[in-house]
């Protein structure tokens, strides 16, 4: 029947990939990559030579069915990777996994690199309960989503590009309150990894003064129980 392996790849340091991930990539009949140009560098570094095909957000809704059909016909093993981190977490992958499950093709997802877990742990915000929001809508629905999260009691996690960090932090401060505790973690597992902690107001000031660089994980503490009760 075949198998789909969902394989996390490093978000920074190439040493973060697991031994099992390397073995399965070498054994795969072919690799599905978000960007073959990016992934070819990783596979070359690992001395892996297998066929590689594009599987990204612009074609996954069209190609998932044909990929599953190919897996079923060949009975082979296929590896799915994204540019960095775990596929399907703010990256392509969900549609292919769903199509595999729908057609009885076994799916195994390896544990491994993802940006938000180390960011959450080093943020010093409560991490016993949290909610992962990924990227906020850029336009339509953005304000509605922020208003919905205003009374969220769990730590909230957002992904953001360096070009919108200050704007997003400013909006978060406006909706959640300037004194809400937060952290901004950038360049995880890379040479210039940094975690900036403080109030949303302090983070806005920091990144207004210091140009944001690299991909960001923004973490915002949940509202306190007492405040929720007072405002209800």
């Amino acid at each position: 029947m075949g198998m789909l392996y969902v394989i996390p790849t490093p978000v920074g340091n190439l040493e973060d990939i697991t031994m099992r991930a390397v073995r399965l990539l070498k054994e795969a009949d072919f690799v599905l990559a978000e960007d073959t140009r990016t992934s070819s560098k990783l596979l070359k570094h690992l001395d892996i030579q297998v066929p590689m095909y594009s599987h990204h957000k612009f074609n996954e809704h069209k190609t998932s069915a044909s990929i599953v059909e190919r897996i079923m016909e060949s009975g082979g093993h296929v590896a799915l990777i994204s540019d960095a981190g775990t596929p399907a977490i703010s990256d392509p992958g969900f549609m292919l996994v769903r199509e595999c499950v729908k057609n009885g093709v076994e799916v195994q997802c390896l544990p491994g690199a993802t940006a938000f877990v180390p960011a959450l742990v080093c943020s010093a915000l409560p991490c016993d309960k949290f909610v992962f929001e990924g990227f906020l809508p850029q336009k339509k629905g953005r304000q509605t989503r922020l208003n919905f999260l205003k009374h969220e009691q769990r730590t909230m996690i957002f992904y953001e590009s360096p070009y919108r960090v200050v704007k997003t932090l400013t909006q978060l401060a406006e909706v959640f309150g300037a004194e809400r505790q937060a952290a901004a973690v950038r360049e995880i597992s890379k040479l210039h990894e940094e975690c900036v902690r403080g109030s949303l107001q302090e983070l806005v000031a920091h990144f207004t003064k210091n140009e944001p660089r690299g991909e960001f994980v923004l973490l915002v503490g949940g509202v306190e129980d007492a405040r929720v009760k007072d405002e209800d």
Side-chain angles (χ1 to χ4, degrees), residues 3 24-31 50-53 70 74-79:
M3 174 84 75
L24 290 174
L25 284 170
K26 288 181 176 180
E27 295 176 354
D29 294 309
F30 60 90
V31 173
V50 296
M52 185 164 46
Y53 304 100
R70 182 174 176 182
S74 67
H77 292 178
V78 174

Side-chain angles (χ1 to χ4, degrees), residues 8-9 16 18 85-86 109-115 117:
T9 53
D16 291 340
T18 67
T86 301
C109 181
L110 277 63
T114 189
V117 172

Side-chain angles (χ1 to χ4, degrees), residues 164-175 200 204 208:
R164 294 192 296 268
V165 163
V166 174
K167 177 182 177 181
T168 297
L169 286 171
T170 300
Q171 291 176 323
L172 291 170
E174 290 171 353
V175 176
L200 285 169
V204 170
T208 298

Side-chain angles (χ1 to χ4, degrees), residues 72-73 104 107 159 189:
M72 294 173 67
E73 289 177 353
V107 177
Y159 283 168
S189 192

Side-chain angles (χ1 to χ4, degrees), residues 96-116:
L96 181 57
V97 170
R98 181 175 62 181
E99 192 69 20
C100 283
V101 172
K102 178 181 175 182
N103 288 276
V105 174
E106 187 173 352
V107 177
Q108 287 190 13
C109 181
L110 277 63
T114 189
F116 75 81

Side-chain angles (χ1 to χ4, degrees), residues 150-153 180 221-230:
K150 183 177 181 179
H151 297 308
E152 175 60 62
Q153 297 180 48
R180 184 79 69 93
V223 67
E224 297 178 4
D225 293 350
R227 283 188 57 190
V228 174
K229 293 176 181 177
D230 291 342

